[in-house]
């Protein structure tokens, strides 16, 4: 697989997000995280979509530790990011971690729906 920077396109946030999303669909969590890192080195700040796609990739393989690291790296996580993190913690049976984040989400009903 070629890194996105070697392709004949000029990468931007949209192309990175599409690539991270594709990696999530294929359960390629390591590649998704690599693209997220590459995005930062190319000076594209990941947005909520970038993080949610990377979280989804990790969730499919129950990589809750990586999701925890992603949460720490987010400057201001949105509710959608927090709900995705809580879902991953729940799927990985990390209930205490999931419950500890619940109070930070504005819409508590969406948290209950994901667990």
């Amino acid at each position: 697989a070629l890194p996105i920077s070697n392709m004949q396109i000029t990468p931007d946030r949209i192309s990175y997000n599409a690539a991270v999303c594709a990696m999530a669909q294929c359960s390629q969590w390591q590649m998704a995280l690599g693209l997220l890192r590459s995005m930062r080195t190319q000076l594209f700040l990941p947005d909520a979509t970038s993080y949610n796609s990377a979280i989804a990739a990790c969730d499919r393989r129950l990589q809750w530790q990586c999701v925890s690291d992603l949460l720490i790296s987010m400057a201001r996580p949105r509710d959608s990011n927090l709900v995705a993190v809580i879902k991953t913690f729940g799927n990985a049976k990390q209930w205490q971690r999931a419950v500890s984040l619940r109070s930070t989400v504005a819409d508590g009903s969406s948290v209950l729906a994901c667990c």
Side-chain angles (χ1 to χ4, degrees):
L2 293 173
I4 198 167
S5 60
N6 291 346
M7 293 181 186
Q8 302 238 341
I9 60 171
T10 303
D12 59 12
R13 185 179 307 169
I14 294 170
S15 58
Y16 270 104
N17 282 351
V20 174
C21 183
M23 293 302 105
Q25 294 298 317
C26 299
S27 300
Q28 297 294 320
W29 64 274
Q30 293 167 321
M31 290 187 76
L33 294 178
L35 284 167
L36 203 62
R37 281 189 296 277
S38 177
M39 194 176 183
R40 290 185 195 117
T41 62
Q42 296 295 320
L43 303 179
F44 298 115
L45 292 177
D47 60 11
T49 301
S50 314
Y51 283 113
N52 280 347
S53 294
I55 291 166
C58 293
D59 179 51
R60 289 172 187 235
R61 295 294 186 191
L62 301 178
Q63 296 295 320
W64 66 268
Q65 301 94 336
C66 294
V67 170
S68 185
D69 292 342
L70 281 175
L71 179 61
I72 291 167
S73 73
M74 290 183 228
R76 300 184 79 206
R78 294 183 177 221
D79 279 355
S80 65
N81 301 129
L82 294 170
V83 169
V85 169
I86 291 167
K87 178 180 178 279
T88 299
F89 287 162
N91 288 342
K93 302 197 180 349
Q94 296 295 314
W95 308 117
Q96 289 179 329
R97 293 174 193 279
V99 170
S100 71
L101 284 178
R102 182 174 172 253
S103 63
T104 62
V105 180
D107 179 14
S109 64
S110 60
V111 173
L112 294 176
C114 79
C115 293

